[in-house]
Amino acid sequence: MKNFVIIGNSAAGISAAEAIRQKDKKSKITIISEEDYHSYCRCLISYFLAGEIPEEKLVFRPEDFYKENNLNLILNKKVVKVEPKKNIIKFEDKTSLGYDMLLIATGASSKFPPDLKGLKKKGVFGLRTIRDAKEILNLVPSSSSSCILGGGLVSLKAAYGLLKRGQELKIIVKSKFVLSQMLDEKGAGLFMKKFQEAGVEIMTARDIVEILGNGDLKAVRLDSGKVIACSILVVGKGVNPNTDLIKDTQLNLDKGILVDQYMKSSIPNIFAAGDVAQTFDLVYKNSVVNALWPNAIEQGRISGLNMIGENLKYDGSMTMNSIGFFDLPAISMGITRPKNPELEELVLFDEKRNICKKFVLDKNHLVGMIAIGDISNCGVFLRLIKEGTDITSIKNELVSETFSYAKVLDLVKHKDEVFIL
Ligand SMILES: Cc1cc2nc3c(=O)[nH]c(=O)nc-3n(C[C@H](O)[C@H](O)[C@H](O)COP(=O)(O)OP(=O)(O)OC[C@H]3O[C@@H](n4cnc5c(N)ncnc54)[C@H](O)[C@@H]3O)c2cc1C
């Protein structure tokens, strides 16, 4: 019997607990969260903000899940320190807990630009937790105008949510277009048009330099000098992995906690998974934090199994996103805006039909793609990227109207692992 401690009650932590419990019915498993909520699907909180999903539909695992699986759940308690030499963790309230095997699955927190003046005002938010969404919603009745800083996935989700709540909205983006980590300029243009048609003003190549107000947010000042009145500002400038608790330990850390192929950190009885872990990227072939829900689930599962002594390798993670706004769906994966001129791009773009298909190839191997409007069969392309398949035989058909899905499927080795999208 072992004493497993998992810090994090979300995708990675729960997936690890389930994997351990499937094979080990007896050992003690403790799951800890600093939040005071049972597990929920973080990806859905913007739909809760929009009023499209009620709070009870956000639930990831039902409340009785912990009891049924004999999991000891500690909520509303923050871990501030890991002490690997003593095999204990310390909480903010000065109590501590021992472990035999530890999983750090603390995820990430909203990133706020450190040099942005006036950040500490009521009305300035990140969008990471249910609490964030609820606090934003509390302000909505007394606010008519909101701003979003940043043009990434979470920013647009927040914008969509606030738009649905009747806010007049402006999005301020430093780059030339939104979703620049996910799409290219043309593809992103289709989404910008949709938001603009819905009445959102998108200010590109702009930044906020100061947040104005006396305690409460009143306005933001842009780098152009322009002042925009608003009482809600959502900052969507990416995330920082929650690694504070391992400061002053010998755990190897870069942006996230560095793990090996078995999700093990540099200390043998400590594993890390999810948004806090830095793993091998299958396409870019380097070590990165790919902060995505499916990656966290898979990494959690592998960590859990390896913590009970299995020897499972994690293949690696991949950038991969799916979105849908105003009935326009999109999926992107791998490299979408290649900087290396040796990579080949095959593009089909039909602005009238809101269709975009783009494939990025490295010596006839698929390394990335974008699909907007028609996202069918993307699961097959995901497998082709992961399997590193030579796609010479179908290359010329990829962006043609007579494209044959069956021929593509023929090239996939593990057909049982194709997601149907
Ligand atoms: C609005 C929004 C939309 C998103 N949309 C998508 C999407 O469409 N697709 C996608 O793939 N991904 C999406 N994501 C990202 C996805 O939610 C994350 O990749 C995923 O939640 C990571 O899971 P995790 O278990 O690693 O960490 P988290 O979900 O961040 O959970 C971390 C856990 O650790 C706990 N914790 C943290 N620090 C401490 C501490 N010091 N002490 C105790 N407990 C602690 C937290 O309370 C929490 O329980 C979205 C995220 C947001 C915020």
Side-chain angles (χ1 to χ4, degrees), residues 9-10 12 33-35 42 79 106-107 128 157 275 292-294:
N9 178 40
S10 186
S33 173
E34 64 175 334
E35 292 174 73
R42 209 171 288 288
V79 179
T106 45
R128 182 73 196 178
K157 284 187 166 191
D275 286 8
L292 292 165
W293 186 270

Side-chain angles (χ1 to χ4, degrees), residues 106-120:
T106 45
S109 301
S110 306
K111 193 192 274 181
F112 293 90
D115 48 352
L116 179 52
K117 278 191 255 167
L119 261 176
K120 296 242 171 306

Side-chain angles (χ1 to χ4, degrees), residues 6-15 31-47 60 74-81 89-92 104-110 126-129 132 153-155 157-158 239 242-245 273-277 290-297 299-300 320-324:
I6 297 172
I7 316 173
N9 178 40
S10 186
I14 290 175
S15 169
I31 303 183
I32 302 158
S33 173
E34 64 175 334
E35 292 174 73
D36 50 0
Y37 289 93
H38 279 265
S39 68
Y40 61 94
C41 295
R42 209 171 288 288
C43 310
L44 298 182
I45 54 175
S46 62
Y47 302 97
F60 178 46
I74 301 177
L75 292 178
N76 207 9
K77 233 172 137 156
K78 182 172 180 159
V79 179
V80 288
K81 205 168 173 31
I89 55 171
K90 288 196 164 161
F91 294 96
E92 202 169 33
I104 303 176
T106 45
S109 301
S110 306
L127 180 60
R128 182 73 196 178
T129 60
D132 291 334
L153 176 79
V154 171
S155 297
K157 284 187 166 191
V239 292
N242 291 326
T243 58
D244 275 2
L245 72 178
D275 286 8
V276 76
N290 271 326
L292 292 165
W293 186 270
N295 291 340
I297 295 276
Q299 292 170 16
M320 196 169 52
N321 268 302
S322 72
I323 51 165

